[in-house]
Amino acid sequence: MQLVYWLIASLGNLLALYLFNTSSPLSILLTVFTVCYTVIGFYDLKFSSHNLNRLYPVVAYLRYFLESYRIEIQQYFIANDTEERPFNREQRSLVYQRAKNVRDTIAFGTQQDLLQENYLSLWHSLSPKKISHKVKRIRFGGPNCTQPYDASYLNISAMSFGSLSANAIEALNLGAKQAACFHNTGEGGASPYHLKHGGDIVWQIGSGLFGCRDDEGNFDPNSFEAMAKRPQIKMIEIKLSQGAKPGHGGVLPKAKITEEIAAIRHIPMDRDCVSPAVNPECTTPIALLNFVARLRKLSGGKPIGFKLCIGNPAEFLGICKAMIETGITPDFITVDGAEGGTGAAPVEFTNRLGMVCLEAVYFVHNALIGVGLRDKIRIIASGKTASSFDLLTKIALGADTVNAARTMMLALGCIQSRHCNTNLCPTGVATQDPARAKAINVQQKSLRVKNFHHNTLESFYELVGSMGLDDPAKLLPQMIKRRSPYGLLMSMGSLIKPVASNALIENGQLDDAWQIWWDTSRAEQFYAEDVFFLKPPEFRHLA
């Protein structure tokens, strides 16, 4: 290509100048082309910092142009219906169809390989049941809660104003109101757009304490109390960690920080907003529970819980020990799976840290049983939830309700372009560019959120009924079947043995894993050494 460059720069320019005297449009275009090619190529050869430009002057830009559309080309022309990540075309199409209230059936059989390793499935019953309305709400509120809240099985997960546009937040909240579900604010605080339409709100208090911090960034009980006592705020959630980036604070890129967002969060505009990795009010399990009790009192007795991604199981058991020692229990625990999404996260954190949602929910469910507190604490599962089957598996593994974020964004019109961290979202969902955000019609898109919620729940109830159950609360882990590496089916939850009620605190018969995790956990600190050698269950039983 360097030889081509010199041919165009020499012979091409001479030919163009020779023909230029004819003053024909073609000769003028040729002259402009050769001159521009020469100037750009000379810069590439002599000054460019890119190897490709130095070796392939001018033409290298063609590669950059095509690369900039690689995601779109892959999505539209190459990938099949079941191979994309994080949501494949089949999953996205299902969300779009249910959001638009159009036909969501498929023809000619499944495209899934039903015999593939780790494939999940259910066994149906020849005696299907119908789910009654009286079991379609879940009550949140432990023994110390004076303002309990009845929630839907499916709700809108944490998404902040800042990460999402004002119109997107408005549409989600209006959709939540129409769907009779709650809308989690995300760690950016309860913005005016969360509160505008009157949908039920779960106010998330992140490590940055946005919405309840003073000018120095410390917790401000007065501003918290003023917001928490609003009737629209139904529950408060303390964020310890996030599935997409556990061990890392929330990130709002500088490009998305407007004057309004800076004022709401009490943050500067000249740099990325990176929240602390550790919530300053929750540095130990005991401190966390004392903060829970403090917020419950300041809020007037509303349900208070916390959100975390499970890592070392012993560290969660340390929180359980702190509950026993202090007598303070949260009203709910939100378990965020490692497969969760976010607008901005380091690749290694997103790809390699944390326990996936189903395994984490199963562990937390059993841990609370083991310390005799499961009946006092609700579990919210937060992970990939595109279909009613996704919802059902989380409930079966131990969750009481489920939060969905990215599929609610898809219902708004998100096309999974993965530009959330650039402020260049092509659909106006994850951007602070007003020219892009205005593409979202709040009234129309809120109806799509409501439709997706309604149709997914209707399918969920029908799926539960097809198993011969008349109440989703009767779902059990063993009802979910997983295809083993040996080609046979096995029940979910077999990685660790379930524990009996109070077995952890009464020194009952415990599996080695539970015993070691319990022995290494501490109520006085989160950190616990990861000393257990995790092995497949069949090898443990042979040992």
Side-chain angles (χ1 to χ4, degrees):
M1 292 311 302
Q2 294 181 49
L3 177 61
V4 170
Y5 166 75
W6 289 115
L7 286 173
I8 293 175
S10 55
L11 298 179
N13 278 311
L14 289 174
L15 178 63
L17 289 174
Y18 173 76
L19 296 175
F20 188 76
N21 293 328
T22 64
S23 298
S24 68
L26 183 61
S27 65
I28 294 173
L29 286 174
L30 179 62
T31 303
V32 170
F33 169 76
T34 57
V35 170
C36 290
Y37 195 101
T38 301
V39 172
I40 295 171
F42 184 79
Y43 172 83
D44 287 346
L45 285 171
K46 300 299 181 181
F47 303 106
S48 178
S49 59
H50 300 290
N51 294 352
L52 282 177
N53 292 72
R54 286 178 172 269
L55 293 173
Y56 307 97
V58 185
V59 226
Y61 293 106
L62 180 60
R63 177 191 183 274
Y64 301 143
F65 173 78
L66 293 174
E67 188 180 40
S68 69
Y69 289 98
R70 186 189 64 81
I71 293 175
E72 289 80 1
I73 293 171
Q74 173 77 17
Q75 186 179 99
Y76 299 151
F77 304 112
I78 298 174
N80 65 35
D81 286 351
T82 61
E83 69 180 7
E84 288 182 89
R85 297 288 186 273
F87 293 91
N88 60 44
R89 181 173 294 276
E90 183 179 78
Q91 292 170 318
R92 298 198 308 274
S93 296
L94 180 65
V95 175
Y96 296 145
Q97 290 159 353
R98 287 181 171 166
K100 295 175 183 177
N101 233 3
V102 299
R103 182 177 63 240
D104 62 357
T105 55
I106 60 173
F108 218 65
T110 180
Q111 295 188 62
Q112 302 288 339
D113 178 5
L114 304 187
L115 296 177
Q116 68 178 299
E117 186 177 331
N118 289 323
Y119 189 82
L120 301 183
S121 61
L122 304 170
W123 285 352
H124 68 284
S125 169
L126 292 176
S127 178
K129 300 289 192 302
K130 187 172 180 62
I131 310 299
S132 67
H133 285 285
K134 65 181 180 180
V135 297
K136 292 184 178 181
R137 306 290 290 185
I138 301 297
R139 172 149 293 194
F140 281 72
N144 297 314
C145 173
T146 58
Q147 297 188 53
Y149 173 66
D150 292 337
S152 168
Y153 269 102
L154 179 63
N155 301 280
I156 301 173
S157 196
M159 290 177 281
S160 302
F161 170 55
S163 178
L164 267 56
S165 67
N167 280 19
I169 294 294
E170 281 193 46
L172 287 171
N173 191 256
L174 183 55
K177 183 178 181 179
Q178 296 167 343
C181 68
F182 69 68
H183 177 197
N184 191 304
T185 66
E187 69 172 280
S191 73
Y193 308 105
H194 286 97
L195 302 170
K196 182 175 180 179
H197 296 284
D200 291 347
I201 288 292
V202 172
W203 181 18
Q204 185 181 98
I205 310 297
S207 58
L209 303 175
F210 303 126
C212 57
R213 62 188 252 158
D214 58 24
D215 293 335
E216 284 73 43
N218 301 311
F219 178 70
D220 181 358
N222 295 322
S223 60
F224 171 82
E225 184 175 5
M227 178 62 74
K229 286 189 174 179
R230 288 183 177 227
Q232 192 178 344
I233 306 294
K234 302 300 182 182
M235 303 196 294
I236 293 97
E237 177 182 84
I238 304 164
K239 177 182 173 183
L240 298 181
S241 61
Q242 180 177 347
K245 47 179 179 254
H248 193 287
V251 178
L252 181 63
K254 180 177 67 174
K256 298 175 78 170
I257 301 176
T258 64
E259 289 186 10
E260 183 180 26
I261 292 168
I264 291 172
R265 297 192 180 201
H266 289 276
I267 57 173
M269 296 179 60
D270 60 346
R271 56 183 179 272
D272 292 348
C273 174
V274 181
S275 303
V278 178
N279 192 308
E281 298 292 325
C282 310
T283 54
T284 68
I286 291 176
L288 165 64
L289 296 175
N290 287 333
F291 194 48
V292 166
R294 187 182 183 190
L295 297 190
R296 187 181 287 129
K297 182 178 180 180
L298 288 171
S299 68
K302 292 184 177 179
I304 310 293
F306 58 85
K307 169 184 176 177
L308 80 170
C309 177
I310 299 295
N312 184 350
E315 297 190 355
F316 180 79
L317 292 179
I319 300 176
C320 294
K321 281 187 175 178
M323 294 180 196
I324 296 167
E325 290 186 16
T326 62
I328 301 170
T329 55
D331 298 290
F332 65 92
I333 297 172
T334 303
V335 181
D336 203 12
E339 71 274 27
T342 180
V347 173
E348 297 88 349
F349 282 71
T350 295
N351 288 350
R352 303 297 177 183
L353 286 185
M355 196 180 291
V356 297
C357 188
L358 292 181
E359 293 173 349
V361 165
Y362 180 71
F363 165 75
V364 170
H365 171 70
N366 276 282
L368 294 178
I369 290 173
V371 294
L373 296 175
R374 183 62 182 91
D375 59 331
K376 297 180 180 180
I377 303 171
R378 294 296 190 188
I379 297 175
I380 302 174
S382 179
K384 286 175 61 176
T385 304
S387 69
S388 58
F389 178 76
D390 298 333
L391 174 59
L392 186 148
T393 53
K394 295 176 177 66
I395 301 296
L397 268 290
D400 294 291
T401 64
V402 173
N403 287 355
R406 287 170 292 178
T407 44
M408 295 295 179
M409 292 170 63
L410 291 172
L412 290 179
C414 167
I415 58 172
Q416 195 173 273
S417 67
R418 294 185 286 160
H419 291 309
C420 312
N421 59 335
T422 65
N423 206 35
L424 299 175
C425 172
T427 58
V429 176
T431 180
Q432 295 307 310
D433 182 346
R436 293 172 181 267
K438 70 179 183 181
I440 296 179
N441 182 301
V442 173
Q443 297 293 329
Q444 291 178 355
K445 298 302 182 181
S446 67
L447 184 60
R448 292 195 176 185
V449 172
K450 178 248 182 185
N451 288 341
F452 170 68
H453 177 273
H454 171 78
N455 291 326
T456 302
L457 277 184
E458 285 302 302
S459 176
F460 166 68
Y461 296 134
E462 188 175 9
L463 201 57
V464 172
S466 73
M467 299 170 67
L469 305 176
D470 58 6
D471 185 349
K474 295 181 179 179
L475 288 165
L476 297 171
Q478 59 265 31
M479 295 176 181
I480 310 299
K481 315 301 180 187
R482 183 193 293 273
R483 184 70 60 181
S484 77
Y486 316 108
L488 301 176
L489 289 178
M490 59 188 291
S491 294
M492 284 285 288
S494 58
L495 180 63
I496 52 174
K497 291 182 178 179
V499 294
S501 180
N502 295 301
L504 288 171
I505 57 177
E506 294 177 353
N507 296 317
Q509 286 289 101
L510 293 174
D511 186 59
D512 288 346
W514 284 108
Q515 190 66 63
I516 292 174
W517 291 333
W518 182 251
D519 291 342
T520 55
S521 63
R522 296 289 181 270
E524 298 78 21
Q525 65 178 37
F526 282 118
Y527 178 75
E529 290 190 34
D530 188 2
V531 296
F532 179 67
F533 286 90
L534 195 62
K535 296 174 287 188
E538 59 267 33
F539 294 153
R540 291 211 312 273
H541 298 332
L542 291 174

